[in-house]
């Protein structure tokens, strides 16, 4: 599903990734760990084609970083749900609309949107808060909305970039439980984090990124 | 569905950047108002000049001693010309009568003979009432047999043509300047809305919206600005004309097509400016 072959990435003179090779298949749950600024987010950005490698190839479904056309990128992103540390919700829209937004911009009909959004909101346990605005929710709840938005397009993989970074320990555990339940239903999860205690609590395949090199823990 | 989304988002953006939008719409209103007033002025000038042109006629004097048959042939020849709408034959006697009517004195009281030659007054078709067309026609008429002299009010006609030209050039210049101003204003407002909605654009990209889809709401917004500016300007022009008709000059004419044209024109400018702005700024967001 996702394959990295000898991927190199530089920011100016600084080498971020050096000959990275790994793959993720359907149903995997993988952590990428490493200190802040080491390039964990860059790996995620390479997967949803926000960035492109300087050398090597990334394959996501049938698309290759070497050959993908800009007009095809939106279609890859519909199959990849992304969740961030800062949630990235739209403050002027309620919970329902924030989640529906992902479907509206891909031209889905209103009837289908309503059904899918309510379903996914129940899945993340926020069906009853659909009319609330992000500012009325706790951090953990906001992250759930972001996860619901990532899931509503029924992606094959969810990329979570430090999803618990802004949360208290209790909410962080709840988010991990949610990600695990999503994973159990077949959606792959790739999570970048430096929260080692959470990894101990929820052990999964762990890749460690240090000085551009990726090692299995 | 996606069209509805674009329209909905376009309106949202319109209301969100309220200050920039208000400034932009009021400036568009002002510029379109000026354009519209100039169009109305030109229409009135055209109509007034057209009225003047209608009065322009060519007077062709027939050689003294021409026979009736020669005169008839000349009349037929002139009537068959494309430029000629109708002709009016003024015999020597008729000319003397007209003199008496105009000056209140019988020519035979002053002179022992009738000094007026017979003549043909030529009225012209529309489109041939310009100085250059009449000049050419005069040259041709002078070559006809039995023609003594051809006369028309050349200076007046040349003045009219000159004014029309000045009005056109001035109109085009004002129009271009106004269009540039309006484009600049809308361009800038859309730039501000793009920056104001940076986060939304990021999220749209993230969840797989196509670039075309991301751009559409901003284009809609540009059109809304154009529509509002054009409509407000049209209303202002409509009532200005009414006021002028009531208090200053009742014969001012206007044309409803002008109002429709202004609104459409304003919308096209809105769309075009938004297109430019989106093309330039959305990529670097």
């Amino acid at each position: 599903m996702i394959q990295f072959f000898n991927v190199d990435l530089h920011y100016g003179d600084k080498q971020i990734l050096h000959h990275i090779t790994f793959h993720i298949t359907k149903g995997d749950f993988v952590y990428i760990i490493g200190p802040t600024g080491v390039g964990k987010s860059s790996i995620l950005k390479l997967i949803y084609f926000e960035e492109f490698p300087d050398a090597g190839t990334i394959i996501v479904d049938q698309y290759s970083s070497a050959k993908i056309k800009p007009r095809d990128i939106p279609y890859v992103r519909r199959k990849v749900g992304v969740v961030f540390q800062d949630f990235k919700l739209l403050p002027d829209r309620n919970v329902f609309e924030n989640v529906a937004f992902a479907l509206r911009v891909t031209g889905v009909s209103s009837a289908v949107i309503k059904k899918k959004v309510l379903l996914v909101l129940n899945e993340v346990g926020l069906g009853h808060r659909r009319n609330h605005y992000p500012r009325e929710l706790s951090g953990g709840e906001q992250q759930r909305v972001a996860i619901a938005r990532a899931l509503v397009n029924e992606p094959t993989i969810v990329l979570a970039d430090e999803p618990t970074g802004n949360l208290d320990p209790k909410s962080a555990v709840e988010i991990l439980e949610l990600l695990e339940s999503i994973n159990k239903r077949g959606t792959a999860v790739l999570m970048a984090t430096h929260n080692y205690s959470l990894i101990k609590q929820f052990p999964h395949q762990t890749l460690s990124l240090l000085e551009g090199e990726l090692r299995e823990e | 569905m996606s069209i509805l989304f674009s329209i909905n988002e376009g309106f949202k953006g319109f209301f969100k950047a309220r200050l920039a939008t208000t400034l932009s719409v009021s400036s568009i209103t002002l510029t379109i108002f000026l354009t519209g007033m100039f169009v109305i002025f030109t229409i009135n000038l055209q109509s007034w000049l057209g009225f003047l042109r209608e009065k322009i006629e060519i007077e062709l004097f027939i050689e003294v001693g021409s026979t009736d048959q020669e005169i008839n042939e000349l009349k037929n020849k002139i009537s068959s010309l494309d430029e000629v709408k109708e002709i009016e034959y003024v015999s020597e006697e008729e000319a003397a009568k007209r003199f008496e009517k105009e000056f209140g004195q019988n020519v035979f009281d002053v002179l022992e003979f009738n000094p007026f030659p017979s003549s043909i007054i030529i009225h012209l078709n529309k489109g041939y009432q310009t100085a250059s067309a009449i000049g050419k026609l005069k040259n041709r008429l002078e070559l006809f047999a039995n023609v003594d002299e051809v006369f028309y009010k050349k200076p007046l006609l040349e003045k009219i043509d000159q004014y029309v030209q000045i009005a056109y050039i001035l109109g085009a210049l004002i129009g271009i300047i106004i269009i540039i101003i309006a484009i600049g204003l809308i361009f800038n407002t859309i730039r501000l809305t793009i920056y104001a909605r940076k986060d939304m654009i990021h999220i749209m990209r993230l969840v797989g919206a196509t670039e075309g889809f991301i751009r559409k709401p901003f284009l809609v917004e540009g059109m809304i600005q154009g529509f509002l500016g054009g409509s407000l300007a049209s209303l202002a022009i409509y009532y200005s004309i009414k006021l002028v008709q009531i208090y200053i000059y009742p014969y001012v004419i206007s044309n409803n097509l002008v109002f429709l044209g202004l609104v459409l024109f304003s919308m096209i400018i809105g769309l075009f400016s938004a297109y430019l702005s989106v093309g330039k700024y959305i990529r670097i967001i």
Side-chain angles (χ1 to χ4, degrees), chain A residues 77-78 84 88 92-93 105, chain B residues 9 16 203 205-206 208:
Chain A
R77 292 187 180 168
R78 290 176 198 183
F84 296 94
K88 295 201 192 300
D92 58 340
R93 280 159 222 249
V105 301
Chain B
E9 289 301 319
K16 249 178 228 167
I203 295 169
R205 287 209 174 109
L206 202 65

Side-chain angles (χ1 to χ4, degrees), chain B:
Chain B
M1 180 60 220
S2 69
I3 295 279
L4 277 181
F5 179 87
S6 302
I7 293 172
N8 192 14
E9 289 301 319
F11 272 100
K12 272 189 189 157
F14 180 83
F15 287 111
K16 249 178 228 167
R18 239 171 264 141
L19 181 66
T21 306
T22 311
L23 274 175
S24 176
V25 170
S26 34
S27 315
I28 297 161
T29 305
L30 184 67
T31 47
I32 296 293
F33 175 77
L34 290 175
T35 316
M37 287 308 263
F38 196 81
V39 171
I40 296 291
F41 171 74
T42 313
I43 288 175
N44 280 278
L45 182 73
Q46 284 274 27
S47 129
W48 182 68
L49 292 177
F51 179 70
L52 273 187
R53 283 186 199 280
E54 291 269 300
K55 301 211 158 201
I56 284 180
E57 53 193 28
I58 297 180
E59 206 170 2
L60 179 145
F61 295 99
I62 300 167
E63 263 178 357
V64 178
S66 300
T67 64
D68 283 352
Q69 201 196 339
E70 284 168 335
I71 291 172
N72 277 336
E73 275 174 22
L74 182 63
K75 274 156 70 180
N76 287 339
K77 245 168 122 180
I78 293 171
S79 293
S80 67
L81 293 171
D82 283 343
E83 294 92 329
V84 177
K85 187 173 160 196
E86 58 184 14
I87 61 169
E88 195 184 331
Y89 175 65
V90 181
S91 64
E92 293 169 8
E93 297 76 33
E94 178 66 25
K97 268 188 210 157
R98 286 189 179 185
F99 176 82
E100 190 176 351
K101 212 172 162 189
E102 276 178 43
F103 296 96
Q105 195 171 24
N106 193 319
V107 70
F108 294 103
D109 295 343
V110 190
L111 294 168
E112 285 167 9
F113 63 97
N114 179 356
F116 302 115
S118 57
S119 64
I120 297 172
I121 292 169
I122 303 168
H123 297 277
L124 296 164
N125 278 321
K126 266 206 175 112
Y128 294 106
Q129 294 160 338
T130 62
S132 71
I134 295 181
K136 275 182 205 154
L137 180 62
K138 174 184 188 273
N139 292 340
R140 273 164 68 202
L141 290 172
E142 277 170 347
L143 296 176
F144 285 5
N146 307 102
V147 173
D148 182 32
E149 201 187 349
V150 179
F151 174 80
Y152 69 97
K153 288 177 179 157
K154 196 176 172 191
L156 173 69
L157 203 56
E158 281 173 348
K159 266 264 155 13
I160 293 177
D161 285 353
Q162 204 185 340
Y163 285 146
V164 168
Q165 224 161 23
I166 291 173
Y168 280 154
I169 293 171
L170 211 66
L173 271 179
I174 292 176
I176 289 169
I177 292 170
I178 282 172
I179 289 169
I180 292 172
I181 293 173
I183 287 176
L185 289 166
I186 301 179
F187 180 88
N188 197 43
T189 312
I190 298 293
R191 182 178 68 92
L192 292 175
T193 355
I194 290 173
Y195 279 111
R197 301 167 92 193
K198 202 167 62 185
D199 292 343
M200 195 181 98
I201 294 171
H202 278 153
I203 295 169
M204 283 173 112
R205 287 209 174 109
L206 202 65
V207 296
T210 57
E211 281 302 303
F213 191 90
I214 294 171
R215 285 164 193 234
K216 262 185 231 157
F218 297 103
L219 302 183
V220 170
E221 201 182 318
M223 281 212 315
I224 296 171
Q225 285 189 26
F227 174 78
L228 268 186
S231 304
L232 288 173
S234 288
L235 268 179
I237 293 167
Y238 178 81
Y239 284 107
S240 303
I241 292 173
K242 281 264 170 273
L243 284 178
V244 170
Q245 280 171 338
I246 293 169
Y247 294 109
I248 305 170
Y249 185 69
Y251 306 109
V252 173
I253 52 167
S254 76
N255 187 334
N256 285 343
L257 276 178
V258 172
F259 300 119
L260 185 68
L262 285 175
V263 175
L264 280 178
F265 173 69
S266 189
M267 282 174 81
I268 290 169
I269 288 184
L271 180 65
F272 177 69
S273 333
Y275 179 79
L276 289 182
S277 193
V278 163
K280 184 159 180 193
Y281 294 108
I282 220 157
R283 252 185 296 244
I284 54 179
I285 278 287

